[in-house]
Amino acid sequence: KKEKLRVTLFSIADGVLTTDALGNVEMLNEAAKNLTGWTQKEAKGKPLNYIFNIYDECTKKPIGDPAPRVLKYEKSMDINKCTLLKTKDNKIIPISYRASPIKDKSGDVLGVVLVFRDITKIREQEKRIDYLRYRDTLTKVYNRAYFEEAMESLDTENQLPITLIMGDLNGLKLINDVFGH
């Protein structure tokens, strides 16, 4: 059973990192090694924030070690946005993570388990969706949704008077009349 659990843990695609009750790293799975750049041998016994060096994406300030908070309050922490991981070779990776206490049968906290993942692809997809939300897919020109939002922000007294110029492009009048400008 122990071997099956170990193999399962090392097969997970997310990074998994565990600490002892003092917040020192005990184990990293393969994904955690790949994301952090640290090997099991290099990381073992080091403080978590030495290996799991995270920053707030907006302020660029260090977030700090999540282990002491999890150990103190004995509750899980979910962080899904605005976190950057600085790897051993100083690469910056956007991540989401969850830190949870590891408890024994009697409820005593033995350490912390951290599960984290690279969200670079998710961020790229979000940017693409945002781009497409305000752009025509064929022409890449701003669309009606963008125009309506821009008009709301411009419709203030200090912006008046507002002028709108509309024109017909390559005989698209019929399409504009049917589907709107």
Side-chain angles (χ1 to χ4, degrees):
K1 284 185 178 182
K2 268 187 174 181
E3 181 61 19
K4 187 175 182 179
L5 286 173
R6 191 188 72 72
V7 169
T8 301
L9 186 62
F10 279 85
S11 299
I12 295 173
D14 291 345
V16 179
L17 193 149
T18 62
T19 74
D20 59 20
L22 298 173
N24 296 318
V25 175
E26 285 188 329
M27 186 277 312
L28 293 100
N29 72 351
E30 199 61 36
K33 291 177 197 176
N34 293 335
L35 287 169
T36 63
W38 292 88
T39 66
Q40 173 73 31
K41 189 176 181 181
E42 294 170 323
K44 191 166 177 74
K46 296 217 175 15
L48 177 61
N49 64 342
Y50 193 76
I51 307 305
F52 193 70
N53 193 357
I54 53 177
Y55 294 84
D56 183 284
E57 187 172 17
C58 301
T59 65
K60 305 294 187 236
K61 292 182 181 177
I63 291 175
D65 189 342
R69 284 177 279 173
V70 172
L71 292 167
K72 180 178 179 181
Y73 298 110
E74 298 183 11
K75 291 188 178 181
S76 296
M77 289 176 47
D78 255 337
I79 310 294
N80 292 317
K81 299 225 176 211
C82 297
T83 304
L84 299 173
L85 172 68
K86 189 174 185 180
T87 67
K88 182 181 175 187
D89 59 354
N90 293 321
K91 267 181 34 183
I92 303 295
I93 302 170
I95 62 163
S96 66
Y97 71 94
R98 179 180 182 97
S100 301
I102 301 170
K103 295 181 179 182
D104 63 13
K105 289 179 184 177
S106 61
D108 295 326
V109 178
L110 304 174
V112 174
V113 61
L114 229 126
V115 180
F116 57 104
R117 69 174 47 165
D118 181 346
I119 58 170
T120 302
K121 286 185 177 140
I122 293 169
R123 290 282 175 83
E124 289 168 359
Q125 290 170 340
E126 287 172 351
K127 285 179 186 174
R128 179 80 178 137
I129 289 167
D130 270 353
Y131 179 83
L132 292 173
R133 192 173 87 192
Y134 292 118
R135 303 271 184 167
D136 177 74
T137 53
L138 180 62
T139 63
K140 308 297 187 242
V141 174
Y142 285 116
N143 63 16
R144 185 183 183 117
Y146 174 81
F147 169 74
E148 288 173 357
E149 234 176 81
M151 283 302 294
E152 273 185 41
S153 67
L154 292 172
D155 193 13
T156 60
E157 247 183 79
N158 61 343
Q159 296 284 351
L160 295 176
I162 295 176
T163 303
L164 174 65
I165 300 171
M166 294 180 76
D168 186 21
L169 179 66
N170 295 336
L172 293 177
K173 182 178 180 350
L174 179 62
I175 293 171
N176 285 341
D177 289 344
V178 173
F179 297 108
H181 294 277

